[in-house]
Amino acid sequence: MATVAEKSADLAVPEWAPSQAVDEKVDRYLAARLRAVGADYRSVAITTFLLAAAIGLVLWIGAGVVADHWVVPGGLDRTLRIAWLAVAAAAVLAAAVKWVVPLVRYRVNLVYAARSIERANPELRNDVVNTVLVRARPDRIPAMVVTSLERRTAKRLSKLPADIVADRGPALRLAVALAILVAVACLYAVFSPKSLGVSLARLVAPWSRVAPPTRVQLGELELGWRLPAGERGGGDAFHAIPVKDGRATIIRNRQLVVRNRIQGMTAGEQPEVEAAGIAEDGSINRVAGWRSRMEPAAASGGSGGFEATLPGGGHGLSNDLVVSVTAGDARSEPVRIVVVDAPSLLVKQLKLVPPAYTRREPEILEWQGDVSGLEGTKVTLLAESKDPLEMASIDFGCDGQGLVKLKIDPRDLARASGSFELRLSADRSGPWERDYQLVFRPRGGAEEDGRVRGIEHRINVVADTMPEVRIVDPGKPVVKVPPEKPVAVGVEAVDPDFALRSVAIELELERDGERMPRPPQPILEREFSGPFRGQTVFKPTSVGGRAGDRLHYRAVAVDSKSPSPNAARTEWFTFELDAAAPPRPVPPGGRQGND
């Protein structure tokens, strides 16, 4: 006697096997009809599963949203949200293993497919099922009987429409239920004072720092710093501070600025910033905290922006703290503010190389930022930091305008160097800039505005002194001389700091009211240090003078400054050329050097 398992095995026909005893055309037709039923069954089953999963997802979201909005005060914390997401993931995985994997892994039983066709078409009686069963075991039934049965079944099936026979009732009921749930969710989203979308984001991404949904809507927290009023650069300037993983860094003695856009407050509600200190063990010490009222921020243009500065007055932060914004029933996620000492970039060395014409040796100053030197001196600055550098510059004038980039040493990222030249202002009344400071950004640091400003240093530029020159012979402004006789002009000159390069007499001949430059008369044509005294002797006729003309002259002394030497000139003196004038005595020697 056959067992139940054996009978069940006899009814399991996974696929339509080919047979030589069957008409090929009939065989293909019956196989196609049965495959269509199997495919239809799979699609309906998958659709039903997806609709059920969607309903489960909506119910999961709805339960989580209700709990986040109304059940748990302050909303679900991160641990509960992660656990809720894990429940959903486990449920989806279990359902997929139970229902989806078998559909993908196994074939639809042809006996089941044949029975589905007969349920949809009772007039077929049991022909389709019988055909599948005898077709699966042709060795037990004569081939003529099998062929006759299959042809009869194919003929009857061909007269019936190829309608879908899988039961769609459960899928339709699930679709209606899903539509109802979606409609309810839409109504809730419209009429609820708390955001459904915010809770959805918190449930789907529980690791995020999205604040719980509230009646009052808080924008993204903006942090910045400014220097206390009264300090140089202090005032209203706002420098943004990046917030990463709930932490922000600010330099000691700077004020913290907290900004937020707030919507939905009722009359009388006042937004505040709650600040709490950090105990030595790292815990939050709310006893040492305080509250600061947020006032409308002018930068927001009246669009719901509020701002508070911590601490108030002319003081800056000195210790770590935790801050959060509260308004109505809303409270932002706390942000820890870490107070750090300002990074430093110090002047390690100054090398001063005076201009070559001075013949002075270079000077090296260690750990001194103030610089003083002669105009034209080349200064090479070496700066050193305790941290690797991303950027470093010299800010001449300490106003952020005249930046000169420093080169960071690739072998030692904590060092930077650069060169500049000491020069005077356009009117030579003082240095082109009176001070400078180093501006830099630590590599990988969290400096809020990207730049740290260092100590201010003074700049002093010593001007190359103008040479001095005077005419000592003749001593009168106007002297009458005969044009054909030699005349002598004696001068004294000195460069107070370095050396003279040349001394000469410049000439202009005046005739009929017109003055004409004439070739100069050189006295000194080499570099000379110390006081110089000399003269030049020439005849007025040698420069084109004649009786009745006036010959104007003055002394000019040029120093050794390079590339733009200084030149000093005397006032104009005059020889009146008169044939009747007595000749002037001429000292011997023509040009004469130092006495």
Side-chain angles (χ1 to χ4, degrees), residues 447-520:
E447 170 56 18
E448 304 90 340
D449 64 344
R451 292 176 178 172
V452 184
R453 299 187 175 275
I455 302 172
E456 296 182 8
H457 301 289
R458 295 188 301 273
I459 298 176
N460 180 45
V461 180
V462 179
D464 187 300
T465 307
M466 296 284 289
E468 300 173 5
V469 62
R470 68 189 183 96
I471 294 177
V472 295
D473 184 33
K476 297 180 179 180
V478 180
V479 177
K480 290 186 178 182
V481 296
E484 71 281 357
K485 297 296 184 179
V487 293
V489 179
V491 299
E492 290 180 349
V494 66
D495 185 62
D497 43 15
F498 297 106
L500 294 169
R501 179 179 296 175
S502 66
V503 178
I505 299 296
E506 294 181 339
L507 301 173
E508 288 187 358
L509 185 64
E510 181 181 356
R511 180 180 296 162
D512 299 329
E514 181 181 357
R515 295 178 66 148
M516 298 171 288
R518 310 307 296 165

Side-chain angles (χ1 to χ4, degrees), residues 63-113:
V65 168
V66 170
D68 199 39
H69 283 186
W70 314 110
V71 177
V72 179
L76 298 171
D77 61 21
R78 181 177 300 184
T79 303
L80 289 176
R81 299 200 307 270
I82 292 176
W84 193 238
L85 181 62
V87 168
V92 170
L93 180 61
V97 171
K98 184 175 181 179
W99 284 294
V100 176
V101 171
L103 289 174
V104 175
R105 182 177 180 183
Y106 303 111
R107 298 176 180 271
V108 176
N109 189 357
L110 294 185
V111 175
Y112 177 82

Side-chain angles (χ1 to χ4, degrees), residues 115-149:
R115 185 59 184 152
S116 298
I117 296 175
E118 291 176 351
R119 281 199 301 266
N121 303 278
E123 62 272 23
L124 292 174
R125 302 177 184 269
N126 293 325
D127 286 352
V128 184
V129 173
N130 292 333
T131 301
V132 171
L133 291 175
V134 300
R135 182 69 173 73
R137 296 167 180 81
D139 54 325
R140 301 182 184 179
I141 307 295
M144 184 179 299
V145 176
V146 174
T147 301
S148 175
L149 180 59

